[in-house]
Amino acid sequence: MANSSRMTSYQRREQLIRIGRSLFASKGFESVSVEEIASTAKVSKPIVYEHFGGKEGLYAVIVDREMQALTAALTAALDDPDMHPRQIVERTALALLTYIEENAEGFQVLSRDSPSTDPSGSFSSLLGDISMRVEDLLTATFKRQKLSPKGVPYYAQMLVGMTVFTGQYWADRPKVSKEQLAAYIVDLAWHGLSRLDSKPKLIFEGKSAKTAKPRKTTRPDAGAPRTSVPQEPDDAADGGDAGTVAPDAA
């Protein structure tokens, strides 16, 4: 406790924020107590209450800071609708992965389940906002490519969800660089977007699916047959030809 007088009020506040972020990231909101925060900072509990009113106030400040940083990074990547669509996808994926790389503890705090005391909705609220921006961009592109905009809200959710959940996985298993992971994400997203059907439908399952059976192939090193990836039935695309979101939208 003796070092409490060595810091200005601002310095002490920043120290508590750093300590709180680290503890919330590693243990989660519910498992961290004011006592632990104070003990780690080597101050008394009243100091924590004086600055933040309790751990809820400290958590809210941390989340607000991380939300602002991540929102700024993602909105900047999505801010130029005149860019080639693939460049937008690349920039957005890299922006998220760069934030994760540079703010590992902050991202861990955001991506954990929010406590009931969190008034902002935190990470899920941010993802909703980003999905709406992606939806606006996709709507304009779909119209130019004469694709039905009916599925745009869902495609936007898919793109954001795929990127975010992959980022969460990578945060715990950073075995490839952020550039390589961004390339994986963009490769899947872009080739999927560039071959969209105007009226997609199920081929093998569901009420309107076509009947088709997978071919059997024989492995050269074994006598047992195996199932290969089936080819789509020739008439499976009668709902419309594949569209192209990519090249013409530059």
Side-chain angles (χ1 to χ4, degrees):
M1 306 295 178
N3 71 340
S4 60
S5 62
R6 299 175 188 172
M7 292 187 181
T8 65
S9 178
Y10 173 79
Q11 290 172 330
R12 177 65 67 194
R13 181 180 177 86
E14 291 302 305
Q15 180 210 28
L16 292 172
I17 289 172
R18 289 194 302 272
I19 288 172
R21 182 170 52 232
S22 180
L23 290 173
F24 290 138
S26 62
K27 298 177 133 186
F29 176 83
E30 299 297 340
S31 298
V32 176
S33 65
V34 172
E35 290 85 351
E36 184 175 11
I37 296 168
S39 174
T40 305
K42 295 182 172 56
V43 297
S44 63
K45 287 170 54 178
I47 295 294
V48 179
Y49 286 110
E50 177 185 340
H51 282 279
F52 302 102
K55 74 170 185 176
E56 294 84 1
L58 176 57
Y59 179 87
V61 170
I62 292 168
V63 167
D64 183 64
R65 285 194 177 188
E66 297 303 326
M67 287 274 286
Q68 288 186 37
L70 182 53
T71 299
L74 293 178
T75 53
L78 293 165
D79 202 37
D80 186 356
D82 295 326
M83 280 192 302
H84 190 284
R86 174 158 182 151
Q87 187 175 5
I88 295 176
V89 176
E90 289 184 4
R91 278 194 178 185
T92 305
L94 269 177
L96 174 65
L97 297 179
T98 298
Y99 169 81
I100 294 173
E101 183 178 64
E102 297 177 354
N103 305 273
E105 289 182 343
F107 181 72
Q108 188 68 26
V109 171
L110 287 182
S111 58
R112 281 182 177 274
D113 291 337
S114 300
S116 57
T117 53
D118 177 20
S120 65
S122 65
F123 198 44
S124 61
S125 174
L126 170 61
L127 296 185
D129 291 342
I130 295 301
S131 294
M132 290 180 67
R133 294 179 75 95
V134 173
E135 184 178 333
D136 290 341
L137 292 171
L138 286 181
T139 297
T141 303
F142 273 45
K143 287 180 178 178
R144 286 196 297 269
Q145 297 299 323
K146 296 181 172 56
L147 289 168
S148 171
K150 186 176 181 180
V152 163
Y154 304 100
Y155 287 125
Q157 294 287 335
M158 292 173 205
L159 288 171
V160 173
M162 176 180 70
T163 305
V164 169
F165 283 113
T166 303
Q168 288 177 310
Y169 182 87
W170 177 72
D172 294 328
R173 305 165 185 83
K175 295 182 180 180
V176 298
S177 68
K178 67 182 178 185
E179 287 82 5
Q180 183 60 66
L181 181 58
Y184 290 150
I185 293 170
V186 174
D187 189 46
L188 179 59
W190 188 248
H191 286 100
L193 285 173
S194 64
R195 294 184 57 82
L196 291 178
D197 287 329
S198 58
K199 295 181 180 179
K201 59 175 61 179
L202 297 177
I203 296 173
F204 295 100
E205 303 292 338
K207 294 180 180 179
S208 61
K210 302 295 182 180
T211 302
K213 294 182 179 180
R215 295 197 307 259
K216 300 289 185 179
T217 59
T218 303
R219 296 175 57 183
D221 58 344
R226 66 176 181 177
T227 301
S228 66
V229 177
Q231 299 296 316
E232 294 182 3
D234 292 337
D235 58 347
D238 57 5
D241 295 332
T244 302
V245 173
D248 298 337

